[in-house]
């Protein structure tokens, strides 16, 4: 998953923010519009506080055995995170301090990797959903159903992640959400919504999907948490902690105790900090919408020329991945990902789901060794390159409504060097009409992005693990082999 849409200066790195989270105005609740709703919102806030979501003193009872795992130099860790993220961690996290996550204080002291919470069984898990304030109820979103995926789409397209200046907002398509939420082993009860009882309006959402994640050599059944979203008019009322507790409960009921997630915000405690880089494909439009700016002493004509790409990929034999390639791609991908400290591990079925090309959702190309080659390599898949499609709405622009962005996904260089594979992906994306190609500085990307004319973005994306302590965190971006949508 990705969380920032930074502005890019083509030649001069820019600086600034990440996911905006508009604070609750205390105004009308969504789904209605009268002054009486201000009262409703105030009541909701009071009720959520009473439910122990960290709105009061120290939130709900901690289950962590040794929160934070020790008593090391919290200030040193905070300073390091502040430097990397350009965001000072808060002094107190009323909710996150109650959760089994590594805390800033003592983060460096862990003697061994392992769970933070005391071991539990499914029988220990609360059977009933966490209570919501009276006027709200839990629901499951069936994203196969056109009407329900539309509701999730609309909630996210109006309320999900924006850049700091509220110029762009992620606009995940319905087809993308169906893909992202339904990998092998997905569960509908992990697609959790909150509705206003009276109006049935969907006002909040959070999701979990299953994944095997390898952290410092230990392979764990986890979930990946994504699409946490609270309607703008219900912000800052401690609804997010209730949603996180509820999804945790539902996942724990399936005997899964660890999770991975990313966020633009700084929470206790990042396992790694990554940064987005952006490669202009359509620099004129990017400048017009304020995504990039014209570099000093550059004209528009020179900028367009600078970013012009060849019309066709350079790699011979590059072809779209086919579902029948999945076992070979899974083997290649897993052996490549094994070199990173935090990475996903894929079954062939998962590869088929995540990488088989889907129009305007995910593109994946492979290099197949020529049949004229040696008998041992003939027909082998040697390289993989993929990207997914995540447009953003351009907010308040008179002419442009959408920023068409391709995001680098899992890519394995083999017979072809990484820069050439990436350049080919950009050529293909440009020919399909994308405006920008985005990539994180994880895996081996850091070393190649600059030469490919990427500019560094202005926000960071933090990676987190829930209920799993790993020694030596935070890792560097090149230690990360996990890409969340
Ligand atoms: C084993 C299974 C475990 C499964 C669970 C694993 C954990 C999964 C964790 C979730 C992974 C999500 C991955 C993604 O999807 S990241 C994408 C998050 N979504 C957005 O940024 C969309 C726009 N923003 C919003 O919709 C709201 O601002 C959200 C919903 C983000 C917060 O709503 P609101 O602004 O109305 O706040 P509140 O009053 O209800 O709650 C305030 C508390 O929430 C903490 N907060 C704020 N932002 C985030 C955040 N992105 N991750 C985790 N916690 C966050 C905050 O520090 C504070 O806690 P504390 O500082 O007092 O302690």
């Amino acid at each position: 998953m990705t969380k920032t849409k930074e502005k890019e200066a083509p030649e001069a790195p820019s600086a600034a923010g990440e996911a905006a989270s508009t604070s609750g105005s205390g105004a009308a609740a969504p789904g209605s519009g009268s002054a009486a709703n201000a009262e409703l919102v105030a009541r909701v806030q009071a009720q959520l506080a009473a439910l122990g979501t960290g709105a009061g003193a120290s939130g709900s009872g901690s289950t962590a055995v040794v929160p934070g795992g020790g008593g090391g130099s919290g200030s040193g860790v905070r300073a390091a995170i502040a430097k990397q993220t350009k965001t000072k961690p808060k002094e107190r996290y009323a909710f996150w301090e109650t959760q089994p996550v590594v805390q800033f204080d003592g983060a460096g002291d862990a003697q061994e990797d392992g769970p933070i919470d005391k071991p539990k069984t499914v029988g220990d898990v609360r059977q009933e959903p966490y209570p919501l304030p009276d006027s709200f109820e839990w629901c499951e979103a069936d994203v196969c159903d056109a009407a329900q995926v539309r509701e999730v789409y609309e909630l996210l397209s109006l309320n999900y992640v924006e850049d700091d200046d509220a110029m762009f907002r992620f606009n995940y398509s319905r087809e993308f959400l169906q893909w992202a939420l339904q990998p092998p082993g997905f569960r509908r009860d992990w697609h959790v919504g909150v509705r206003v009882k009276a109006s049935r309006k969907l006002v909040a959402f959070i999701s979990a999907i299953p994944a095997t994640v390898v952290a410092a050599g230990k392979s764990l059944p986890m979930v990946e948490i994504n699409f946490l979203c609270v309607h703008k008019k219900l912000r800052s009322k401690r609804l997010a902690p209730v949603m996180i507790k509820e999804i945790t409960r539902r996942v724990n009921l399936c005997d899964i105790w660890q999770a991975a997630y990313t966020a633009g915000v700084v929470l206790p405690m990042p396992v790694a900090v990554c940064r987005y880089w952006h490669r202009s494909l359509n620099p004129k439009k990017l400048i017009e919408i304020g995504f990039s700016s014209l570099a000093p002493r550059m004209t528009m004509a020179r900028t367009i020329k600078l970013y012009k790409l060849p019309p066709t990929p350079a790699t011979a034999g590059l072809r779209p991945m086919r579902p029948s390639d999945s076992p070979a791609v899974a083997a290649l991908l897993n052996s490549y990902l094994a070199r990173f400290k935090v990475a996903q591990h894929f079954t062939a079925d998962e590869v088929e789901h995540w990488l088989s090309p889907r129009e305007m959702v995910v593109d994946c190309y492979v290099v197949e060794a020529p049949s004229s080659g040696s008998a041992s390599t003939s027909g082998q898949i040697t390289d993989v390159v993929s990207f997914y499609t995540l447009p953003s709405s351009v907010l308040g622009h008179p002419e442009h409504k959408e920023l068409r962005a391709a995001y680098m996904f899992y890519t394995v260089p083999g017979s072809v060097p990484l820069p050439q594979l990436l350049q080919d992906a950009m050529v293909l994306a440009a020919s399909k009409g994308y405006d920008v190609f985005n990539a994180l500085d994880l895996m081996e990307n850091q070393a190649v992005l600059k030469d490919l004319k990427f500019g560094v973005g202005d926000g960071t994306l933090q990676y987190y693990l829930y209920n799993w302590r790993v020694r030596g965190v935070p890792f560097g971006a090149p230690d990360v082999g996990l890409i969340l949508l």
Side-chain angles (χ1 to χ4, degrees), residues 68 71-85 87-89 102-109 266-270 273 472-474:
S73 163
S75 58
V77 176
R78 280 170 193 277
I81 295 290
K83 196 167 167 208
Q84 283 185 60
T85 62
T87 306
K88 206 164 160 251
V102 173
Q103 304 292 331
F104 290 111
D105 298 321
D109 289 357
V266 174
L267 305 167
M269 144 92 199
V273 176
V473 295

Side-chain angles (χ1 to χ4, degrees), residues 98-170:
T98 71
Q99 296 300 296
V101 293
V102 173
Q103 304 292 331
F104 290 111
D105 298 321
D109 289 357
Q111 296 301 307
E112 57 185 52
D113 299 354
I116 295 165
D117 216 349
K118 63 176 187 290
K120 283 191 206 147
T121 64
V122 170
D124 300 323
V125 180
R126 179 190 167 100
Q127 290 299 305
E128 327 74 51
Y130 281 92
L132 283 170
D134 287 347
S135 41
F136 297 92
E137 64 189 14
W138 296 111
C139 67
E140 280 171 23
D142 177 0
V143 293
C144 290
D145 179 79
Q148 293 186 47
V149 75
R150 188 185 186 89
E151 286 184 284
V152 178
Y153 166 77
E154 278 173 2
L155 173 74
L156 297 179
S157 68
L158 296 172
N159 299 281
Y160 201 51
V161 178
E162 296 175 7
D163 69 310
D164 256 1
D165 307 319
M167 293 170 74
F168 309 102
R169 189 189 306 124
F170 280 151

Side-chain angles (χ1 to χ4, degrees), residues 189-446:
D189 60 341
W190 291 354
H191 302 162
V192 182
V194 174
R195 288 187 190 280
V196 176
K197 271 187 195 161
S199 64
R200 308 281 306 136
K201 188 178 170 76
L202 185 73
V203 290
F205 187 73
I206 189 167
S207 67
I209 52 167
T212 301
V213 174
V214 185
K218 177 97 173 119
S219 179
L220 295 155
M222 289 202 191
V223 290
E224 294 170 355
I225 304 290
N226 203 349
F227 304 117
L228 168 61
C229 183
V230 168
H231 192 289
K232 287 187 176 199
K233 287 187 174 161
L234 286 173
R235 295 278 168 86
S236 302
K237 304 185 193 316
R238 314 302 300 184
L239 185 54
V242 186
M243 298 175 69
I244 293 167
K245 284 173 29 175
E246 178 59 16
I247 197 104
T248 303
R249 188 188 72 81
R250 292 177 186 217
V251 169
N252 287 166
L253 279 173
C254 299
D255 204 15
I256 296 177
W257 307 91
Q258 275 75 39
Y261 48 103
T262 56
V265 289
V266 174
L267 305 167
M269 144 92 199
V271 68
V273 176
C274 293
R275 203 166 256 283
Y276 268 108
W277 288 64
H278 311 282
R279 191 344 174 142
S280 300
L281 304 178
N282 184 352
K284 181 167 179 290
K285 176 171 166 188
L286 295 180
I287 290 167
E288 282 169 5
I289 62 178
F291 185 89
S292 324
S293 43
L294 205 53
R297 296 180 299 283
M298 281 292 275
T299 62
M300 187 64 88
R302 280 178 60 208
T303 305
I304 292 169
K305 193 162 168 235
L306 176 72
Y307 289 116
K308 199 166 165 47
L309 285 160
T312 49
T315 304
L318 191 70
R319 62 154 174 88
M321 182 193 146
R322 298 191 275 260
S324 57
D325 297 323
S326 302
V329 171
L332 186 69
L333 183 57
N334 287 329
S335 80
Y336 180 68
L337 291 177
R339 65 175 79 173
F340 305 106
K341 288 185 179 159
V342 184
Q344 189 156 348
H345 186 273
F346 293 91
T347 63
D349 282 351
E350 287 170 333
V351 163
E352 181 170 341
H353 175 84
W354 289 121
L355 294 180
S356 294
R358 292 181 186 223
E359 186 72 15
M360 293 310 288
V361 172
V362 61
D363 285 72
C364 179
Y365 296 83
V366 297
V367 180
E368 190 176 325
S371 49
S372 56
S374 78
S376 61
T377 59
S378 166
Q380 256 181 27
I381 304 291
T382 54
D383 309 68
V384 185
V385 61
S386 61
F387 57 88
Y388 62 85
T389 298
L390 169 49
S392 282
S393 303
V394 180
L395 306 176
H397 195 278
E399 184 194 343
H400 297 293
K401 299 293 169 230
E402 187 180 70
L403 166 63
R404 299 189 69 196
Y407 285 75
M408 187 182 170
F409 202 30
Y410 288 98
T411 294
V412 183
S415 68
V416 177
L418 181 61
Q420 182 176 326
L421 269 187
L422 259 175
Q423 169 103 350
D424 282 351
M426 294 189 297
V427 165
L428 291 159
S431 72
K432 290 178 174 214
Y434 291 84
D435 301 316
V436 64
F437 196 96
N438 297 331
L440 285 163
D441 57 355
L442 41 62
M443 297 195 235
E444 297 185 277
N445 295 352
Q446 229 167 49

